[in-house]
Every structure is written in C-alpha cells, then in structure tokens.
Amino acid sequence: MPTVDDALEHAGEFHFFQKQMFFLLSLLSVAFTPIYVGIVFLGFTPDHRCRSPGVAELSLRCGWSPAEELNYTVPGPGPAGEASPGQCRRYEVDWNQSALGCVDPLASLATNRSRLPLGPCRDGWVYETPGSSIVTEFNLVCANSWMLDLFQSSVNVGFFIGSVGIGYIADRFGRKLCLLTTILINAVSGVLMAISPTYTWMLIFRLIQGLVSKAGWLIGFILITEFVGLKYRRTVGIIYQAAFTVGLLVLTGVAYALPHWRWLQFTVTLPNFCFLLYYWCIPESPRWLISQNKNAKAVRVIKHIAKKNGKSLPPSLQFTSSVLYQGLIMHVGLAGDNIYLDFFYSALVEFPAAFLVILTVDRIGRRYPWAVSNMVAGAACLASVFTPGDLQWLKIIISCLGRMGITMAFEIVCLVNAELYPTFIRNLGVLVCSSMCDIGGVITPFLVYRLTDIWLELPLMVFAAVGLVAGGLVLLLPETKGKALPETIEEVENIQRPRKNKEKMIYLQVQEVDIPLN
C-alpha cells in the first residue's frame, strides 16, 4: 500500500499545483516581514532635543539658522560614551525675557554655560525628521525610552503564547482553518493598530498581531512542505524563507515612500485581507487528513492534486537564531547613517545566504552548515567590535558575513524543525520550538537599545558569545538529511537508523475509494 510520498510521485511532486500553492503561501512570508522587523521604521528614533518655550520666537526675531539655534539654546555633548544632555535636558532659562541678546544670549546669565541649571523636558521634544514614528508621536524617548523596548517585546510575547495555543489548534482542527483564522485576526488587529489613539491601545493590538502572525507564517511553511515530494521539500522550505527577504526589500521601499508610521502600518496590513481568498484556493494538507483518519478526504485532495498536475493515480533551536537575527537588524537602525540604504543592503545579503543553504544542506547535511553559520555570525559580531571605525569598508564586509551567517542558521532551523516531528503534532512541535525564538525576541530590544546606551558595540559582544556557543550545541542534534517526513513517534525515535519498509507506511487505500477525476 502506498505512502503519501508514494502517492505524490504519481500525482506530481512539484508540478502546477505545488507551484501555485508555493507562490500563494510565499506571499504570506513576504507579508510577515513588517510585523517581525517593522520596529526599525515604526519605532525609528530621530535626533531630538527638548522643546523650550520662547526659543522659536527668539530664533525668529534674531534670524538664527538652525545650527545657530542649536548652538545657542541646547546643552552641548556630555562626556564620551554618555547620551547628549540636549536630548533629555534643557537649560532652566526664561527665553521670553527681553534681556537676552541675539549673539550668545546665555552669556548675560553666566560666563560658563556648564554652571547654568538643567531641567527635564517639561514641554515635550522637537524631532529632526520630516515624517513620524511611534517614538515621535508618543514621545518614547529619555525616561520613556523603555516603552519602545516594550512595544517590540510585546509582539514577541505574542509569538510565544500563540505558538503553543495555535500550534495545538492547527494539529487538532486542521492547517487550513487555523491559517485563515490567523490571517483574519492579523489583518483586523493591524488596521486597529494603525488608528490607535493611545500607546496602550497600540500595544494591545501589536500583541494580538504577535499572537497570530508568526503562527500563520509557520503554518504556511508546514503546508508547503507537506504538499511537495521528498526531494523538493528542502528547496521550497528555503525559498519560502527567502520570500521573507523579498519582504525586507519591499518594506524598505514602502517605508521610504511613506515616512509616517500610521500610513506605513495601514499599507503593509492591507494585503492580509486579500489572503482570505485562500479559502477557495488552498486545500487541507492530505498528510494531516490521514493523521486524523480522514482517508477519504485525503484521497480527494490527492486526486485534486493529480488533476491539477495533469497526472493520474494508479488504481493500487531557536532562541539563538532569533536573538542574533532580530538583534543584528535592530543594530542596523542604530549604527548607520542612512537607515533605508543600510536596511536595504543588509537585506540583499540574505539572497546568497538562501542560495548557500540550498547548495549545502542536501550535499553536506543539516548539522554542519547550521553549526558553521552560527559560528560565522558570532565571529563576525566579535570581529566587528574590534575593527577600527576608519576602516568602514571592512566593517561592511564583516557585517555582511554576520548577516549571511545568521540568515543561513535561521533558515536551516526552520527546515530541521519540520523534519523532527511526526505529522500529527508537527505544527504544535514546530511552533513550541519556535516559541524559544520568541523568548529571544522578547529580550532582544532591551539588549540592543539599552546596552548601546552603555557602549554601542556591547550588544555585538553578547551576540558573538551566543552565536559561538550555539554553533557547538547544534552538533548534538540528529542529522535529517535524506529522511522522509516522520509520520509516527516511533519513526522520530528511529530517525538515525534505516527504517524498515513496514515502518514507512501510511496506509492510503486509493484503490478502495471510487472517486472519478472529472
């Protein structure tokens, strides 16, 4: 009796149907990007200074240039390594008093500016940006800067909680139903976030997006790997993740064209409503149907696949990758001069990373490329710390190598995850494992944004240690190269040993179900 893989050999392992499904599901991967790394643009922190009543009027009366206004009215830089006082403190001066002159107005109050008292920004801030972000609208700077960390951590908390709950639902009630539900909730919460009147409501809707979005992305990954034959599983899994990289490039262009965060959020959310049309386009996974003893429905799906393909059936680990990946992307927004170009260039590096994964994982195996890529990412972070600032070209090369390494590790971990669990708990297993990534995602914003206040390169030191340690731990995992997707727990336990023929069988009695192709 044939297995699902045997049936797909006759129905078509990667023909018209699978290519159509692959294209449709890859769009989910593209649309997931703004949720995963959108903080770079939604939470962009521009140069800013305290708003001081009377300064604008004095500047207008004296005809100051912007540079002169800054020089005369804003506290200068503090000691090396500390944040500029001008961002969070202001001179306690009444700028409306008539005694102030136009040339060095503070000279009449004190011969040394450092003796003038400083106070907090009681009247808000002035931001040097033509657009807006959640930082500029809700003043998430200085004493409130932790609220930006919380915003990104909330989506990762959502990833973590949703991974367990939605993983169980997908294995219990089906991939398709769960996928469509997550798409609908993601779309609605994304629009509500774009029109949120307060920071609290924005945070709530971002958390809801986190609860469903990553689960939906992983369900799409599992669906496409279950639709194709064994020899195509690796390729579609990697290219599905490469579609995420396409999303990075698209996000860069959209963010450049729409520098206002509400319009950006609204625009990147709208495509999710179109994905609801997948109800009529994507069938349920035949592997899941068989695991639920719904053999007749599984046969109908396989016959549908055969008909679409013009074929006929015969009658008879994760935490680490997330910390490094999200951390390196966030660091781009802090360390570069042009956030759009830096983000675009770093995204381009992910394409050769995907190509290298495709070249190596079936020739060498999963473990060694995975281990090496983690170590390369860690070593690149460490090398970047000790590279002199005047060797900018070398820093760029090292950064590209680090981004390429962690991208390879991230893509391989998703591939191996799907290969280590039997069908009836595959979705739950992958999502629970993925929740470890989400724990990493929760702490990453605090690692990046707070540690840079101490030393700009300190986050890279942490990432280097994590990457190097993870590279060694990967070697303890079993090799899944060339293995069929396991259908039972026994097959998973015997994954390192050749399987007997009878252990390979998922009994699919095609010859006993009389359903015509037409």
Side-chain angles (χ1 to χ4, degrees):
M1 294 182 181
T3 65
V4 173
D5 287 322
D6 292 334
L8 287 176
E9 287 182 10
H10 297 283
E13 294 185 279
F14 193 68
H15 290 75
F16 177 77
F17 171 82
Q18 283 90 353
K19 291 174 183 176
Q20 183 184 53
M21 294 301 102
F22 176 68
F23 174 75
L24 293 175
L25 292 171
S26 291
L27 294 179
L28 294 175
S29 190
V30 174
F32 177 56
T33 302
I35 300 173
Y36 200 71
V37 297
I39 183 68
V40 174
F41 301 111
L42 295 175
F44 174 61
T45 304
D47 289 336
H48 52 280
R49 65 182 185 276
C50 292
R51 185 185 303 277
S52 298
V55 166
E57 292 77 4
L58 181 61
S59 177
L60 183 64
R61 175 169 63 85
C62 294
W64 289 338
S65 67
E68 287 175 322
E69 181 180 329
L70 288 175
N71 183 47
Y72 290 149
T73 64
V74 177
E82 294 185 9
S84 172
Q87 293 184 335
C88 299
R89 309 277 286 174
R90 69 179 189 183
Y91 291 121
E92 294 286 8
V93 170
D94 180 8
W95 295 98
N96 292 309
Q97 57 184 296
S98 57
L100 296 177
C102 290
V103 179
D104 197 5
L106 296 178
S108 60
L109 302 177
T111 55
N112 188 342
R113 289 190 188 183
S114 63
R115 298 182 180 275
L116 288 173
L118 298 177
C121 301
R122 298 187 183 88
D123 298 287
W125 287 262
V126 176
Y127 297 96
E128 303 294 335
T129 178
S132 68
S133 69
I134 63 172
V135 171
T136 63
E137 180 164 336
F138 298 108
N139 289 326
L140 308 184
V141 293
C142 300
N144 293 329
S145 60
W146 63 271
M147 298 171 74
L148 177 62
D149 308 344
L150 182 62
F151 173 79
Q152 181 60 11
S153 292
S154 68
V155 75
N156 285 281
V157 169
F159 290 162
F160 177 76
I161 298 172
S163 293
V164 179
I166 296 176
Y168 170 77
I169 294 171
D171 283 329
R172 178 67 179 85
F173 299 103
R175 318 303 199 211
K176 181 177 178 178
L177 173 63
C178 196
L179 177 66
L180 292 171
T181 303
T182 59
I183 289 172
L184 176 61
I185 297 174
N186 185 28
V188 173
S189 58
V191 170
L192 291 175
M193 176 186 155
I195 61 175
S196 296
T198 64
Y199 170 83
T200 301
W201 280 113
M202 179 189 68
L203 193 68
I204 291 171
F205 292 127
R206 193 60 164 182
L207 174 63
I208 295 173
Q209 277 199 297
L211 286 170
V212 297
S213 57
K214 189 176 183 182
W217 181 82
L218 285 168
I219 292 170
F221 177 86
I222 290 169
L223 265 176
I224 191 58
T225 56
E226 292 185 341
F227 277 139
V228 302
L230 171 62
K231 61 184 178 182
Y232 294 99
R233 191 177 69 224
R234 171 261 301 170
T235 302
V236 299
I238 298 305
I239 299 179
Y240 178 83
Q241 295 176 75
F244 179 89
T245 305
V246 175
L248 294 175
L249 303 180
V250 173
L251 176 62
T252 307
V254 175
Y256 181 78
L258 298 172
H260 298 278
W261 80 268
R262 290 187 184 272
W263 283 111
L264 174 60
Q265 171 66 18
F266 185 74
T267 301
V268 299
T269 298
L270 282 182
N272 288 280
F273 288 99
C274 299
F275 297 149
L276 294 173
L277 298 174
Y278 286 5
Y279 176 83
W280 292 278
C281 304
I282 298 177
E284 184 54 85
S285 164
R287 295 180 188 270
W288 178 82
L289 290 170
I290 289 173
S291 73
Q292 301 297 308
N293 296 318
K294 299 179 180 181
N295 290 347
K297 291 183 178 180
V299 171
R300 285 198 291 270
V301 172
I302 292 176
K303 285 197 170 188
H304 173 72
I305 294 173
K307 183 179 179 180
K308 281 278 190 177
N309 290 339
K311 303 284 186 177
S312 59
L313 293 174
S316 57
L317 291 185
Q318 320 245 1
F319 172 87
T320 304
S321 298
S322 181
V323 170
L324 282 171
Y325 188 85
Q326 289 195 45
L328 289 175
I329 288 179
M330 292 178 194
H331 201 265
V332 167
L334 295 174
D337 295 324
N338 189 317
I339 186 175
Y340 300 103
L341 283 179
D342 291 340
F343 193 90
F344 181 79
Y345 292 149
S346 65
L348 286 178
V349 176
E350 297 198 4
F351 287 111
F355 180 69
L356 284 174
V357 172
I358 291 174
L359 284 181
T360 57
V361 292
D362 271 355
R363 290 174 172 82
I364 302 173
R366 276 57 161 160
R367 287 192 306 166
Y368 292 114
W370 189 5
V372 170
S373 59
N374 269 303
M375 291 179 179
V376 166
C381 290
L382 190 61
S384 182
V385 172
F386 299 103
T387 302
D390 55 346
L391 297 178
Q392 189 63 26
W393 62 271
L394 184 57
K395 271 188 171 289
I396 292 174
I397 292 175
I398 293 172
S399 298
C400 287
L401 286 175
R403 180 70 177 269
M404 185 182 299
I406 197 55
T407 299
M408 289 181 64
F410 209 83
E411 292 179 351
I412 295 173
V413 72
C414 291
L415 176 65
V416 174
N417 255 353
E419 295 176 334
L420 286 176
Y421 297 99
T423 299
F424 71 97
I425 60 165
R426 181 170 297 123
N427 212 91
L428 178 61
V430 169
L431 287 174
V432 169
C433 257
S434 174
S435 67
M436 296 301 102
C437 296
D438 304 329
I439 293 176
V442 169
I443 68 172
T444 298
F446 296 93
L447 281 176
V448 174
Y449 295 123
R450 294 314 113 216
L451 292 184
T452 51
D453 288 343
I454 302 172
W455 179 32
L456 185 62
E457 309 296 348
L458 186 55
L460 294 179
M461 295 289 287
V462 177
F463 300 152
V466 172
L468 293 172
V469 171
L473 294 177
V474 162
L475 297 175
L476 301 177
L477 295 174
E479 178 58 66
T480 58
K481 171 190 170 186
K483 307 289 185 181
L485 286 177
E487 308 292 350
T488 66
I489 291 178
E490 185 180 4
E491 291 181 5
V492 175
E493 292 173 344
N494 296 328
I495 201 167
Q496 293 283 47
R497 299 194 297 269
R499 295 195 270 181
K500 298 177 182 179
N501 289 337
K502 67 178 182 180
E503 293 175 329
K504 293 171 60 177
M505 297 301 176
I506 301 174
Y507 296 110
L508 177 62
Q509 306 210 17
V510 177
Q511 71 274 21
E512 294 183 8
V513 181
D514 186 16
I515 298 175
L517 289 175
N518 296 318

